[in-house]
Amino acid sequence: MRQHVRALVPTLAPAERRVAEALLADPSVVVEKTITEVAQACQTSETTVVRFCRTAGFRGYPELRLAVATELGRDHARRPQDRAPGTDIGRDDTLEDLVRKVAYTDTRAIEETVDELDLGTLAQVIEAVATARRIYLFGLGASTFAAQDLQQKLLRIDRVALFITDPHLTLASSALMTGDDVAIALSHTGDTAEVVTWLGEARRRDATTIAITNYAKSPLSTHAQLTLITAAQESRFRSGAMASRIAQMAVIDCVYLGVAQRTYDASVAALTTTHDVVHPSHTPPPSP
């Protein structure tokens, strides 16, 4: 539920956004406060709170309140000893606090991403990647690491995967895509201009377009035929770089393993071959 709200934040009006951000910062506020108290805390009206509830898919405040309480209860059942330390690093935090917050945020990113992953969409992505002529990948910043990791994994099972770091060359490559190709764009925010432009061009060339992003309603998603949503909440010092990358890695691992399973025998053979050639004990064949 919180991931759904987080994905809505960029699309909300300022007053509704304050309600969403208050919920995300401390979900218990919705459970413990009346709609009047929440409205006052967010410097808005009860009408705006109700409007936010409906935008988030709930009939009203009571239904939102119940959903939040249920999710918090489920979280507590999973980690009864966890004090839910949050994400932001405080000026006076101890080193132990810092380590716990890192562990909490990264664990939550993986768990919430997997919990919210649309399996139907994932199955379509796996099918598209497994049958593509070529798979193009593009991401900037922290998303670079996830894109490069997926490329390396796919190459190991004999899938033609291309990851180019130069934005201009990447855009040029999109002009050569066809309907037999797949374009996978990775962006935590979903509004990185170069990545959005690239996926739009890939869509124009009839490639199957896939977005991996934290926000379902983002500029990047408008160009994607298939969108896989991550669930990462970044803090002040970790913005777009840590939890987001870990969430992306969880998604691409699911894609990679799904493709490998679909082509099981061929993938096992390819992994064995590539392992043998790079293993330290490998003896090169004699020169002709």
Side-chain angles (χ1 to χ4, degrees), residues 117-283:
L117 202 57
D118 186 317
L119 298 183
T121 301
L122 177 61
Q124 293 180 68
V125 169
I126 290 169
E127 176 68 17
V129 172
T131 58
R133 179 184 67 144
R134 290 179 297 199
I135 303 109
Y136 292 84
L137 301 128
F138 187 37
L140 292 174
S143 298
T144 298
F145 302 106
Q148 188 172 35
D149 187 67
L150 181 54
Q151 181 210 27
Q152 292 175 353
K153 284 180 166 69
L154 291 173
L155 286 173
R156 288 287 304 275
I157 58 172
D158 201 22
R159 308 306 306 163
V160 181
L162 305 173
F163 170 63
I164 304 170
T165 57
D166 182 273
H168 290 168
L169 185 55
T170 297
L171 186 59
S173 72
S174 66
L176 302 176
M177 293 183 191
T178 72
D180 295 323
D181 299 323
V182 166
I184 303 177
L186 298 93
S187 171
H188 172 69
T189 61
D191 61 7
T192 305
E194 295 89 343
V195 181
V196 172
T197 300
W198 176 77
L199 197 66
E201 184 62 24
R203 181 73 177 267
R204 198 168 74 85
R205 301 289 175 174
D206 294 326
T208 299
T209 52
I210 299 167
I212 299 177
T213 179
N214 212 64
Y215 300 99
K217 295 184 177 182
S218 65
L220 186 65
S221 299
T222 63
H223 297 303
Q225 295 162 289
L226 300 167
T227 302
L228 295 174
I229 306 299
T230 57
Q233 185 176 359
E234 294 290 1
S235 68
R236 184 177 301 110
F237 294 115
R238 297 161 50 112
S239 180
M242 299 185 187
S244 62
R245 185 178 69 239
I246 288 170
Q248 287 176 346
M249 296 290 274
V251 171
I252 67 169
D253 278 351
C254 290
V255 172
Y256 159 70
L257 289 172
V259 173
Q261 184 185 48
R262 188 185 179 284
T263 56
Y264 194 90
D265 292 337
S267 293
V268 169
L271 286 170
T272 300
T273 300
T274 54
H275 174 271
D276 288 346
V277 79
V278 299
H279 196 274
S281 64
H282 173 71
T283 303

